[in-house]
Amino acid sequence: MRLLTPALEARLRANLAARFEAAAQGRCEPDPPPVVRLFSPVGAATWLATEIDADGIFFGLADLGFGCPELGSFALAELEAVRLPFGLSIERDLHFTASHPLSAYAEAARQAGSILLGEQRLRRAARPHSGHG
């Protein structure tokens, strides 16, 4: 599977352009929602990306499954080159739709110790609570 479609790549590049434009104008950097979620089908490694540059370097939230999710850069080529057991490779979550800005995912992941657990916390927090009288 290709990790990026042309449409996803265009959205990632648009976020990069928006960040550069904000910096050039002295405005606060935008805090967009992640565009793409990549993951290892045989482990806890997960990546949420908001932008990509001309060299194929993503910016986003990376979690290799060791309890230390962090914001930073990671390379598309390196993720595409990963070969996992059983002939598997890094995959793109085809059903991922971000519901929060990247900062919310980063904070939840830091508190929970992983992107996966952080996403669960965000989903629970977003559910309507039934109030009893």
Side-chain angles (χ1 to χ4, degrees):
M1 166 198 304
R2 284 193 42 141
L3 291 180
L4 290 183
T5 64
L8 289 172
E9 189 168 349
R11 289 177 52 204
L12 290 161
R13 290 190 190 281
N15 284 344
L16 177 67
R19 182 168 59 85
F20 284 155
E21 182 179 328
Q25 295 177 356
R27 293 185 285 120
C28 291
E29 288 187 8
D31 184 15
V35 172
V36 65
R37 181 180 190 273
L38 307 171
F39 67 95
S40 167
V42 295
T46 307
W47 299 264
L48 298 175
T50 57
E51 57 189 57
I52 193 168
D53 69 15
D55 295 323
I57 305 299
F58 287 111
F59 178 79
L61 183 61
D63 178 5
L64 299 180
F66 303 121
C68 305
E70 62 183 43
L71 291 169
S73 300
F74 41 98
L76 174 61
E78 289 181 13
L79 293 176
E80 288 177 332
V82 171
R83 294 296 165 252
L84 300 166
F86 313 110
L88 298 172
S89 58
I90 301 301
E91 296 185 19
R92 175 172 35 93
D93 183 340
L94 299 177
H95 304 287
F96 176 75
T97 301
S99 53
H100 304 280
L102 183 63
S103 62
Y105 285 97
E107 182 60 26
R110 275 194 286 272
Q111 289 178 3
S114 79
I115 290 176
L116 297 175
L117 294 174
E119 287 175 318
Q120 288 176 2
R121 285 183 176 189
L122 289 172
R123 280 192 296 275
R124 276 196 308 271
R127 285 189 200 134
H129 299 289
S130 60
H132 297 288

